[in-house]
Amino acid sequence: MPGAIYAEGLVKTFGAVKALDGVDLDVPEGAVMGLLGPNGAGKTTTVRVLTTLLQPDRGKAVVAGIDVLKHPNEVRRSIGLSGQFAAVDEYLTGRENLRMVGRLYQLSPRDAKARAAELLERFNLAEAADRPAKTYSGGMRRRLDLAAALVVSPPVMFMDEPTTGLDPRNRQQLWDVIQELVRGGTTLLLTTQYLEEADRLADSICVVDHGRVIARGTADELKARTGGERVEVVVHDPARIATAREVLTGLGKGEVAIEEHTRRLTVPVTGGARLLAEVIRELDGRDVEIDDIGLRRPTLDDVFISLTGHAAEQAPENGDTEENERGGRTSREEAAV
């Protein structure tokens, strides 16, 4: 049986650009799926199709048990969307923003007022509730935007790079809010280019590239695809890099990667801590002074680079810029239809 978010064979083109080329997704109820991919991979386009803001050229999508193409208005009443840009009215106060969204969702004036007060408390915005949103910090605006997406307590939530541009403190606060939502039973599809975010929040991960899903699984399953452990060594003297490379080549299980400017050498290994001790002995025996050495597992950054050929970047996706700028607000206005 399909999950709370289900897509099969989604195709969407913008002129000569094929943004989606057969995307399949299945997110169980109450789970969090992280959607990862480089710029232009199709992440935001996928979200727009699933939230009724775009119609696919081909394919099927079901959200909260409702066919997205056949019953878009019903889907809008069952979802929340927090887009890449905070969709708040800067000239209204935080309280007025939330009451307006409540009225758009056809809540009574009394219920809209009560829900706004509840969300302002929940998102630590009560003290700033009656200030214009234009006076809010970036983190406060993102929290207000997320609060607006939750006015009707949707069973399914979509977040398109919700923490982009936030400082670590505000990002942590939003992570806490997201985890609280999930504990309450909300199903979440999260697009992000902060790989630590996906590692921390997502039950499962889909990696998309050129409009296709190229890998899926848990964070641990994807990490396992890139190989086992790695030894990292930072050499004190750049002149000793060649010697350190010889040592690591003899003890490692693959090619030694070298970053000349940081004097860092990395090699895949097997043997764990025992092998690490052997590396230290060999380097010491060859008079190679080191500033740092460690054993680590692959990260999602390693997975991303292995699958897509380069690191994650932060920028609007190709063909999506205009839609990005109005995506969050459009979904809420259409909810009143």
Side-chain angles (χ1 to χ4, degrees):
M1 183 176 178
I5 303 172
Y6 177 78
E8 180 180 327
L10 293 181
V11 174
K12 182 65 181 179
T13 58
F14 297 98
V17 177
K18 183 168 279 191
L20 302 181
D21 190 15
V23 168
D24 299 325
L25 297 173
D26 194 355
V27 186
E29 185 176 346
V32 181
M33 175 174 281
L35 198 60
L36 307 183
N39 299 329
K43 304 184 300 297
T44 295
T45 303
T46 299
V47 169
R48 294 223 161 75
V49 169
L50 294 171
T51 56
T52 78
L53 299 179
L54 283 176
Q55 283 216 350
D57 300 325
R58 294 197 303 277
K60 178 181 180 181
V62 177
V63 174
I66 306 167
D67 191 298
V68 172
L69 298 180
K70 294 180 180 178
H71 306 289
N73 287 343
E74 292 182 28
V75 170
R76 292 170 192 146
R77 297 187 183 100
S78 302
I79 64 173
L81 169 62
S82 179
Q84 289 186 14
F85 298 88
V88 299
D89 190 314
E90 293 190 344
Y91 294 96
L92 296 180
T93 66
R95 191 185 310 278
E96 289 168 342
N97 266 283
L98 296 183
R99 291 176 66 177
M100 176 187 69
V101 172
R103 295 295 290 136
L104 287 173
Y105 274 110
Q106 301 180 8
L107 297 182
S108 69
R110 176 181 295 180
D111 288 344
K113 180 180 179 180
R115 183 60 173 160
E118 177 186 345
L119 289 168
L120 288 165
E121 287 287 346
R122 182 178 184 183
F123 286 87
N124 297 317
L125 292 170
E127 291 185 4
D130 298 310
R131 284 169 38 196
K134 65 181 179 180
T135 68
Y136 286 14
S137 67
M140 293 170 69
R141 291 189 193 195
R142 292 303 287 170
R143 295 204 304 275
L144 181 61
D145 182 68
L146 184 53
L150 295 171
V151 163
V152 293
S153 301
V156 179
M157 186 77 187
F158 296 87
M159 296 186 184
D160 193 5
E161 301 191 17
T163 61
T164 295
L166 297 187
D167 60 45
R169 178 173 174 271
N170 281 309
R171 190 179 306 150
Q172 179 66 55
Q173 288 178 337
L174 271 182
W175 286 356
D176 292 342
V177 169
I178 290 170
Q179 289 174 320
E180 181 184 344
L181 288 175
V182 175
R183 285 194 294 269
T186 300
T187 303
L188 174 63
L189 181 67
L190 170 77
T191 79
T192 181
Q193 290 188 355
Y194 292 115
L195 301 185
E196 59 174 326
E197 189 164 84
D199 210 353
R200 166 114 175 234
L201 300 176
D203 300 306
S204 63
I205 293 170
C206 272
V207 182
V208 295
D209 198 14
H210 300 293
R212 289 181 173 272
V213 175
I214 60 174
R216 68 179 80 224
T218 66
D220 285 342
E221 288 169 348
L222 292 178
K223 291 173 186 178
R225 292 182 54 166
T226 67
E229 298 166 316
R230 289 160 167 73
V231 165
E232 286 188 350
V233 177
V234 178
V235 177
H236 180 73
D237 183 358
R240 304 297 287 164
I241 288 178
T243 304
R245 181 178 184 176
E246 290 177 12
V247 172
L248 294 180
T249 298
L251 297 175
K253 298 297 181 180
E255 183 178 352
V256 179
I258 300 176
E259 297 177 9
E260 296 280 354
H261 64 291
T262 61
R263 309 181 309 283
R264 184 184 302 273
L265 297 87
T266 306
V267 65
V269 299
T270 57
R274 184 183 307 171
L275 188 281
L276 183 63
E278 188 173 352
V279 170
I280 293 172
R281 284 194 299 269
E282 284 289 325
L283 291 172
D284 185 59
R286 301 283 291 271
D287 293 324
V288 178
E289 184 179 354
I290 59 175
D291 290 339
D292 192 20
I293 187 168
L295 182 72
R296 69 173 179 85
R297 297 181 60 210
T299 65
L300 279 181
D301 293 87
D302 298 322
V303 172
F304 200 96
I305 292 171
S306 173
L307 292 171
T308 67
H310 55 81
E313 299 168 341
Q314 295 172 12
E317 295 191 4
N318 293 339
D320 287 348
T321 304
E322 181 179 350
E323 293 290 335
N324 282 346
E325 293 174 352
R326 64 184 184 89
R329 184 182 298 269
T330 301
S331 67
R332 291 171 198 149
E333 289 174 348
E334 289 184 346
V337 175

